[in-house]
């Protein structure tokens, strides 16, 4: 279902009113928000379930107890996978100066979760002295959160972007690099060089990352590990589990348990 805004567009697009607005939401159905932007920065956290976010020139997967930071005026679209509960913090642009300038995934602390749940119960557009002090603590805590590598930078070269979008749509496609280069009208050496320079990953690493991020979405939707491995083009389940463990430090089954 297409979701309505969590706060009014007028508040989202203004630095007037409270420095910080917090909203908590739960949904038993898929939640989709089409690409949009607003003047306030947004920290969107998944407490249960999994989100995928397209923001700026990248794509992020947000698992439970993590959050995606979206700076002011960055276009972004959001989709939940299965049931979801979480919260959003909207921060006035002047208070975003010391926060990351680019979208990123942050590991959320227990302290921040408790503070935001308190802030989500506030009503009215004027903060009390206590609320104002808690707002400062929330901002300090956000600044301290560690970044987590769950993003997928998209290339900007039109030929590489064509390949990246095709792989995002069909991560099980096992075409060789040379075949992709021919399909997109680019020399294999140029493809190899520019993929690294534009995304920070080799073509092979980028393709693996597409598959792993899609695997997280499929795990959240209740697919079995075997079905995911086969659907994503792995020759056997063991190879998929080994790659997943190297990337995330746990097996797919253990990771899925952490989402619930």
């Amino acid at each position: 279902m297409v979701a309505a805004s969590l706060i009014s567009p007028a508040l989202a697009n203004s630095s007037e009113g409270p420095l910080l607005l917090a909203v908590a939401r739960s949904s038993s159905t898929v939640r989709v928000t089409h690409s949009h932007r607003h003047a306030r920065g947004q920290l969107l956290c998944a407490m249960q379930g999994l989100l995928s976010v397209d923001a700026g020139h990248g794509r992020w997967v947000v698992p439970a107890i993590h959050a995606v930071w979206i700076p002011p005026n960055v276009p972004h679209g959001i989709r939940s996978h299965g049931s979801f509960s979480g919260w959003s913090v909207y921060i006035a642009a002047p208070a975003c100066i010391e926060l990351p300038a680019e979208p990123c995934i942050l590991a959320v602390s227990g302290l921040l979760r408790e503070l935001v749940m308190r802030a989500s119960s506030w009503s009215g557009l004027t903060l009390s002295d206590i609320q104002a002090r808690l707002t400062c603590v929330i901002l300090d805590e956000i600044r301290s959160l560690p970044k987590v590598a769950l993003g997928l930078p998209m290339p900007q070269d039109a030929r590489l972007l064509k390949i990246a979008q095709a792989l995002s749509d069909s991560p099980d496609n096992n075409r060789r690099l040379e075949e992709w280069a021919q399909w997109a009208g680019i020399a294999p050496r140029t493809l190899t060089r520019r993929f690294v320079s534009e995304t920070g990953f080799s073509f092979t690493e980028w393709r693996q990352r597409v598959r792993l991020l899609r695997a997280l979405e499929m795990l959240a939707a209740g697919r079995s590990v075997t079905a995911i491995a086969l659907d994503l083009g792995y020759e056997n389940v063991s190879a998929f589990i080994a790659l997943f463990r190297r990337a995330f430090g746990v097996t797919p089954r253990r990771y899925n348990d952490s989402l619930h």
Side-chain angles (χ1 to χ4, degrees), residues 6-260:
L6 294 178
I7 64 173
S8 74
L11 282 174
N13 283 298
S14 173
S15 290
E16 300 296 323
L19 198 63
L20 178 149
L21 297 160
V23 184
R25 285 288 186 272
S26 294
S27 176
S28 59
T29 59
V30 172
R31 180 181 177 88
V32 178
T33 304
H34 294 311
S35 184
H36 64 290
R37 70 174 75 196
H38 35 71
R40 285 178 178 260
Q42 181 181 5
L43 185 70
L44 174 59
C45 176
M47 292 301 298
Q48 182 180 36
L50 185 118
L51 298 173
S52 57
V53 179
D54 290 303
H57 299 303
R59 179 169 297 158
W60 284 262
V61 166
V62 190
I65 66 170
H66 289 73
V68 59
W69 166 246
I70 304 166
N73 294 309
V74 172
H76 57 281
I78 302 163
R79 180 183 182 87
S80 67
H81 301 272
S83 59
F84 165 79
S85 64
W87 46 256
S88 276
V89 173
Y90 295 85
I91 302 170
C96 296
I97 294 173
E98 296 183 12
L99 296 176
E102 300 292 336
C104 59
I105 298 291
L106 303 172
V108 175
S109 66
L111 174 59
L112 181 62
R113 291 196 299 271
E114 294 301 321
L115 288 169
V116 171
M117 294 311 295
R118 171 76 66 86
S120 70
S121 69
W122 298 344
S123 59
L125 298 180
T126 302
L127 299 180
S128 67
D129 289 344
I130 291 176
Q131 291 170 344
R133 289 196 292 271
L134 285 178
T135 292
C136 292
V137 176
I138 290 173
L139 292 173
D140 284 342
E141 189 65 13
I142 292 173
R143 294 185 193 104
S144 74
L145 297 179
K147 294 182 181 179
V148 180
L150 287 172
L152 184 69
M154 301 293 279
Q156 299 306 297
D157 183 290
R159 298 161 297 178
L160 300 189
L161 184 59
K162 180 181 177 182
I163 295 171
Q165 289 173 334
L167 278 171
S168 296
D169 292 337
S170 302
D172 59 321
N173 192 316
N174 281 318
R175 279 178 178 165
R176 294 181 298 108
L177 181 148
E178 292 79 10
E179 294 172 314
W180 281 113
Q182 183 178 17
W183 177 76
I186 185 172
R189 281 190 178 182
T190 303
L191 186 157
T192 298
R193 184 181 69 254
R194 297 203 65 152
F195 237 98
V196 173
S197 66
E198 295 195 13
T199 71
F201 295 98
S202 70
F203 175 78
T204 298
E205 291 169 337
W206 196 95
R207 174 154 57 182
Q208 288 176 342
R209 199 170 186 82
V210 166
R211 290 178 172 178
L212 288 171
L213 295 186
R214 181 61 59 84
L216 296 183
E217 297 174 4
M218 296 168 79
L219 282 169
R223 299 292 303 281
S224 72
V225 174
T226 299
I228 292 170
L230 296 177
D231 285 353
L232 292 179
Y234 290 94
E235 294 182 359
N236 58 70
V237 179
S238 297
F240 166 64
I241 293 175
L243 181 62
F244 193 100
R245 191 200 297 269
R246 285 200 300 273
F248 301 118
V250 294
T251 64
R253 193 177 305 281
R254 289 289 299 275
Y255 194 98
N256 190 48
D257 290 343
S258 72
L259 297 177
H260 304 288

